[in-house]
Every structure is written in C-alpha cells, then in structure tokens.
Amino acid sequence: MDEFGGAQAGDARLTKRLIKLADRLAEAPSASIPGACNSRAETQAAYRLFDQARADKRGLSWEAVLAPHMARTEARMAEHPVVLCLQDTTELDFNGQAIKGLGKLSYEAQRGMYLHPTYAVSPQRLPLGIVDTWMWARPLDIAESRRWIEGYERVAERAGQLPATRLVYVADREADILELMQRAHALSYPADYLLRAQHNRCLPQGGKLWPETLAAPSLGEIEFMLPARTNRPARAVRQTLHVRSLELADGHGGLMPVTCLIAREGGTQAGHKPIEWRLLTNRAVSTLEQAAELIDWYRCRWEIETLFHVLKNGCRVEALQLGEVKKLELALVIYLVVAWRQAHLVRLARVHPDLPASTVFDQIEWQAAWLLAEKDPPKKTPTVREVIRRIAMLGGFLARKGDGEPGVKTLWQGFARLSSFVRGLEKIRQSYAL
C-alpha cells in the first residue's frame, strides 16, 4: 500500500517504519498492533513511531503523516470531471481507557474524541481517498460547528489545484448552516455544495422554505433501489421531485441564490417509512435529469458511513491503547487510509470489474487466494472482481447466485487469512531459494 512514501517524518528511518507499519495494518486490519506486526522488534518500532508525536520527542503531527496520501488522493481526483467531497462526524468511544486528553462524548459518562474527515469519492461511488480531517476532544476552543464551514473552505482551496475537476461538498443535516452557504457565496463558489436541510427557514420575500418548494410543479419522478440495512430489507423507492430557486440573506445586507430540492416518496406499503430528502445547493436545477443527478450524488453520502464502519468494526480503532491523544491521532490517520483501501477495493471490483488484478495485487497475493481455497490459480491473470470475490470467500462470502457482490466485512476478514498465508509463502521462498 504505497500511500505514505515521502512522508516528512523528520528522519528517513521513521518514514520507512511508517510505510512498513501501514502495510502490516492493511494486511491484518482487525488485528491489534502487536498482532499485525511480524515480530517483537516490529511491534516496538511501531510504538516508537507513535511516541514521536510527543512534544518532548519530534512532535510529529498527523498532518505530516497523512500528507503523502492526500497528495495521491488529489492526483486520483484529477482523473475525474466531478468529485464528491463527503463530510461527516463520528465519535470514538475510549471509555475505561487511560488515555490523556480525552473528553466527554454524547453522554457525560462517556470518554473519547471526535473524527470528522473529508472523503473524496467519484459519482460512481469509487472512494478516492482522504483529503482532510478534523480530530478533537471536548471542550474545544471554538464552536464545533466551525468544522463544517472550514471543511468547505478547505475543499474550495483544493478546487484551485484541480481546474479540470468540479468539486462538490456533500454533507448531512448538521451542515445546514447559513454561514456556510454565505461563505461559499462570498468565495464565488469555487466548489459546489449539496446539503441536507434541517431548517424550514423563513424567506426574505415571505413564506417558508419547504412549503414554497413543494408549491412548485413537480419535475417528475425517479426510482431507485434502497439497499438493505440492519432490520430493513432492500426495496424500490419512487420519489416525486420538486425544485425551487430561492434567495436567502447573504450576511452583507443583500441576497444570495439557493436552490431547494425536495424528493418525496408516496404510496409506501405499510411498515415502510416514506423516504423524503430536502436538499440545498448552489447549483441551478431546471430539468429532471439535473435534479436526479443531485439525488444520486446525495445517495453517495453513504460511502462515508461505510468508511466509519470499516474504521470502527474492521480496524477496531476504539480498542487502541496509546496513552495520549496525540499518539492516538497518528494511529487514526494511518487506520483511516487502511479503511479507505478496504472500501476502495470493494467498489473497484464493482466500478471496474474487468481491470487486471495485476494493477492492484502482487502475483503472489492473487495466486494465494486460490491456493488457500485448495484450488489451482488461473494461468491467465484474473480480473480485480474475480480476486476480490475469491478473497471475500475466504472471509465467509458464499458467492451464491443471489448474493450480489461482497461487502467490506467479508473482505477484511478474508484479507486477514490471505496476508498470513502470503507471509508464509514468502518466507518459504526466501528460506529455500525458490
């Protein structure tokens, strides 16, 4: 996983150690740090790396560690005409652990910290990487809502480096902040925004936001499949779309244009809650196709929830025991990239299923996926999709006709088996000069 090469860790040996540790954690994301490392010496080296975050050491920052990955992510973004920059917040619960610098979470008795990354994905839902993050423990010196506004500002700054790519800032209801929209307007919209609305605002010209939008004639209907979730089966959703171009106060005595889009589901069966989304954007919308595109982009927001799922349940970051928040931050940005890679591989097999496996995997890796299943490896290089399915089968994916494509859980479980086997094969080759 070449995502950390070139990191400015202050010492070439530390950079080399960082790259090796990232590889180990990517091979066994669910293992503890000692479990992922190959020896006691590697484990000690990993903890010494995290110690560099201390002020009495090098004061190594997470920004320096993540910088090479962010640069590579920007290069991947440049290959797409449109990139969605998803933002959301998750809380990390370290209750009961002796870690200096933690704060309260949703409940006073909980101790932990918050993570708020910016996750770049294509409109086809292919994860491209992490381009920014906020990490903090309460209390914070500034208003926590500032992270949404600053998040947009950083996306806007990055847009200047990507003239051929249109960036779209996508966030859920907590980002429905008038100051954020005013800031985008003041900057002349270097990046678009697409926010789920939570406030039925009073309009300067009279009336309220949502009733005014619903009063507009429908642009038409769209239909899509809502994926299955815990205790909720997959089902078809048909929504009617209403769009209204409106104006809100720009914060300087004038007005700024805003488009409100409401997607409302009707005629749902008993037991199903109707799906209704109210979205705000700076983009002009006049056709059903343009409105449907925004809905598709908003639905991509689920990819950041997948990232959090892999981070917490696949990488088990809430089990980290590193003593203080600064050291924890270094570990979290490494695990963020590990979690991205898992999500990226799952989507890559769906978006580019016929891509040769050699573009992602070493030959020994994809061959091992067949050997572990007691099957002869293909003589011809297989596709990415074939290898991902084979690895997921090692993690419990059954690959029956109606099973669809594997998810991230079976993939990270399969990788744990595969990496151990590959290490064994490589050791045998070295020992016997095969």
Side-chain angles (χ1 to χ4, degrees), residues 357-378:
S358 56
T359 60
V360 179
F361 300 100
D362 292 334
Q363 184 176 4
I364 191 173
E365 289 179 313
W366 65 256
Q367 288 180 335
W370 269 264
L371 293 173
L372 257 178
E374 300 183 5
K375 296 182 180 295
D376 293 330

Side-chain angles (χ1 to χ4, degrees), residues 11-70:
D11 187 314
R13 293 170 298 177
L14 285 177
T15 301
K16 187 176 180 180
R17 190 178 301 166
L18 167 63
I19 294 169
K20 178 176 281 190
L21 175 60
D23 286 341
R24 292 292 188 238
L25 297 179
E27 290 168 356
S30 297
S32 63
I33 292 173
C37 291
N38 211 22
S39 64
R40 181 179 179 184
E42 272 193 19
T43 301
Q44 291 173 331
Y47 285 116
R48 284 198 299 270
L49 173 65
F50 296 133
D51 276 341
Q52 302 307 309
R54 291 166 45 187
D56 60 341
K57 295 286 188 176
R58 294 179 184 273
L60 181 61
S61 68
W62 66 261
E63 291 93 341
V65 170
L66 191 59
H69 169 74
M70 292 195 293

Side-chain angles (χ1 to χ4, degrees), residues 373 375 385-386 388-407 409-411 413-414 417:
K375 296 182 180 295
R385 179 177 181 268
E386 289 172 324
I388 290 297
R389 289 175 69 87
R390 180 59 61 182
I391 295 173
M393 288 169 69
L394 298 174
F397 177 62
L398 298 178
R400 298 168 297 193
K401 281 187 176 181
D403 284 342
E405 298 301 320
K409 184 175 182 179
T410 54
L411 186 63
Q413 291 174 334
R417 292 186 61 192

Side-chain angles (χ1 to χ4, degrees), residues 206-268:
K208 285 204 162 186
L209 180 63
W210 299 342
E212 287 292 320
T213 303
L214 289 171
S218 165
L219 284 180
E221 294 184 336
I222 60 169
E223 187 171 352
F224 57 87
M225 286 298 299
L226 191 68
R229 298 284 182 259
T230 304
N231 299 322
R232 189 194 73 190
R235 67 179 181 88
V237 173
R238 181 182 290 272
Q239 291 178 316
T240 302
L241 305 185
H242 296 265
V243 175
R244 173 81 78 175
S245 296
L246 302 156
E247 291 181 319
L248 296 176
D250 67 0
H252 299 284
L255 299 174
M256 62 181 180
V258 173
T259 300
C260 183
L261 164 61
I262 296 182
R264 172 171 284 184
E265 183 183 18
T268 54

Side-chain angles (χ1 to χ4, degrees), residues 317-351:
V317 295
E318 290 170 312
L320 289 169
Q321 300 180 33
L322 291 172
E324 57 185 86
V325 165
K326 289 295 182 183
K327 293 160 68 172
L328 197 56
E329 288 175 345
L330 290 190
L332 285 174
V333 294
I334 298 173
Y335 275 111
L336 266 175
V337 178
V338 170
W340 158 76
R341 182 174 183 267
Q342 296 287 315
H344 174 79
L345 289 174
V346 167
R347 280 293 175 188
L348 189 67
R350 302 180 190 186
V351 177

